[in-house]
Amino acid sequence: MTSATPPSSRSSSPQKVCHSQTQTDVLKPLLGGGVSGGGGTLRRRRRVLSKDGRSNVRIEHISGRSALYMRDLWTTFLDMQWRYKFFLFTATFAGTWFLFGVLWYLVALVHGDLLEFDPPSNHTPCVMQMQTLTGAFLFSLESQTTIGYGFRCITEECPAAIILLIVQLVITMVMEIFITGTFLAKVARPKKRGETVKFSQHAVVSTHEGRPCLMIRVANMRKSLLIGCQVSGKLLQTSLTKEGETVRLDQRNVPFQVDTSSDSPFLILPLTFYHIIDDSSPLRAWATKGGGWTDPELADFELLVIMSATVEPTSATCQVRTSYLPDEILWGYEFPPVVSLSPSGKYVADFAFFDKVAKTKATPVFKPSGPEHSYQGNGGGSVLEGADPEKIRLEQSYRERGEERGRVRDSSPLSVRISNV
């Protein structure tokens, strides 16, 4: 059992990444620049999505970007980093205290309550014990935070002061509700819950049910369950349209399934998700050459894996993402078992083996089927060249259904090996 990783390519002069979807220069690589490797030309790839699921795309030259962000203040505040949020929180409260303190000072100035006016002994001020700018600031702070020390209070002398007090309390209350709501919403976001979902560091390709399959491992590292898990994949690669246009970062669907089903797997134990590499798979050209990640034309892609689920305690939707480059997809390897049974009768998931991979006894081989190729069926029989492809597909479908029924009835140790545990 080994943890194998193909050698990584290095680049000393990477080219600038083009951010547009379409590019007329087909010589530029999808995700990085060209560099000379030992056996040929390899490319150092820059990820579109990092291993921890963060976007590596920078957005530039957007007219009115600040105005767009200000129109959606709620999302802007939620996406803001914590250090900026704390600074804005402090600056907002200190700013409103000082702003309304100045307004209270102006009210006292107009009414003649300040010390420099030397008011008579029978003078009734708008606010008791507020005769300086510092006193006005402290009164604003005490009013907004409802402290009320007792000796600094408003009187019935000034209607303008009563109106100013009402305006201050209404405005600052709305601001407190908004800021407190963004704090709670940011803390309650399921983003941190997604960090407890683990993907395997490498994807592997081995034979499963007689067919080459790309496999990844996913595990939930908390006891609280994830409901309605859905795993899907997107293959980003350069494609050429019939009109001769080169589309960069073209997205192709890569479906994943668990055993024989892709609907809502029960993620209570680490599971292995399979993508069957067949004639409809977007990885067929890469698989035809046995996972030729050293081929600069075939290995110019990135596989994004996305898992969506509902967090059981909060009912919030959670999405976890990762990506695999061609040199992180190991051809002819498989995942060793990680689940065992303890003497006390409990199932144990040993994460020390989660990222381990082992070399398979037989190297998987992908052979495209079609009229021009002889097709090797699951039963070992071959179909001669020139056979009807529709008839081949129907026969294969009936054969697979029969094998699935047999596997359900089969209780031999082989069924344990096929399962995810």
Side-chain angles (χ1 to χ4, degrees), residues 232-237 250-256 282 301-306 322 324:
S232 60
K234 295 289 183 181
L235 189 71
L236 304 183
Q237 62 181 356
D250 184 27
Q251 299 187 18
R252 306 288 181 88
N253 289 326
V254 181
F256 283 90
F301 66 83
E302 180 177 359
L303 176 63
L304 310 184
V305 181
I306 305 166
T322 190
Y324 297 94

Side-chain angles (χ1 to χ4, degrees), residues 96-244:
T96 53
W97 295 338
F98 181 77
L99 174 62
F100 282 99
V102 171
L103 295 179
W104 284 113
Y105 180 79
L106 293 178
V107 170
L109 178 66
V110 172
H111 195 256
D113 298 339
L114 303 180
L115 289 176
E116 52 264 29
F117 294 118
D118 192 17
S121 59
N122 61 348
H123 177 77
T124 304
C126 294
V127 179
M128 303 295 294
Q129 302 297 327
M130 190 188 72
Q131 298 174 324
T132 61
L133 180 60
T134 304
F137 174 77
L138 292 176
F139 177 73
S140 174
L141 187 152
E142 295 169 16
S143 299
Q144 186 169 330
T145 56
T146 65
I147 293 177
Y149 289 115
F151 62 91
R152 203 178 270 117
C153 60
I154 193 172
T155 65
E156 302 176 359
E157 185 69 19
C158 304
I162 299 175
I163 296 175
L164 180 59
L165 179 62
I166 295 174
V167 171
Q168 179 181 2
L169 294 180
V170 171
I171 292 177
T172 54
M173 185 178 295
V174 172
M175 293 178 58
E176 289 178 10
I177 292 174
F178 181 82
I179 295 176
T180 305
T182 58
F183 265 85
L184 294 176
K186 189 173 181 67
V187 171
R189 283 197 307 177
K191 182 178 180 180
K192 294 299 181 182
R193 178 63 178 90
E195 293 179 359
T196 59
V197 176
K198 183 177 177 62
F199 287 96
S200 57
Q201 287 294 319
H202 294 88
V204 298
V205 178
S206 63
T207 302
H208 178 70
E209 300 290 339
R211 293 175 292 184
C213 295
L214 183 143
M215 307 179 188
I216 61 170
R217 243 180 196 167
V218 184
N220 176 23
M221 296 184 291
R222 294 184 71 99
K223 287 188 175 181
S224 60
L225 298 180
L226 294 173
I227 304 172
C229 298
Q230 296 290 337
V231 175
S232 60
K234 295 289 183 181
L235 189 71
L236 304 183
Q237 62 181 356
T238 302
S239 65
L240 187 65
T241 65
K242 295 181 180 180
E243 294 76 18

Side-chain angles (χ1 to χ4, degrees), residues 298-318:
L298 296 179
D300 191 21
F301 66 83
E302 180 177 359
L303 176 63
L304 310 184
V305 181
I306 305 166
M307 191 190 81
S308 301
T310 302
V311 182
E312 186 181 35
T314 62
S315 298
T317 302
C318 171

Side-chain angles (χ1 to χ4, degrees), residues 67-85:
L68 293 175
Y69 282 16
M70 292 300 293
R71 291 176 186 174
D72 188 11
L73 279 177
W74 182 261
T75 305
T76 302
F77 274 73
L78 288 182
D79 291 340
M80 191 179 296
Q81 297 183 10
W82 278 110
R83 56 180 178 269
Y84 299 124
K85 184 179 287 291

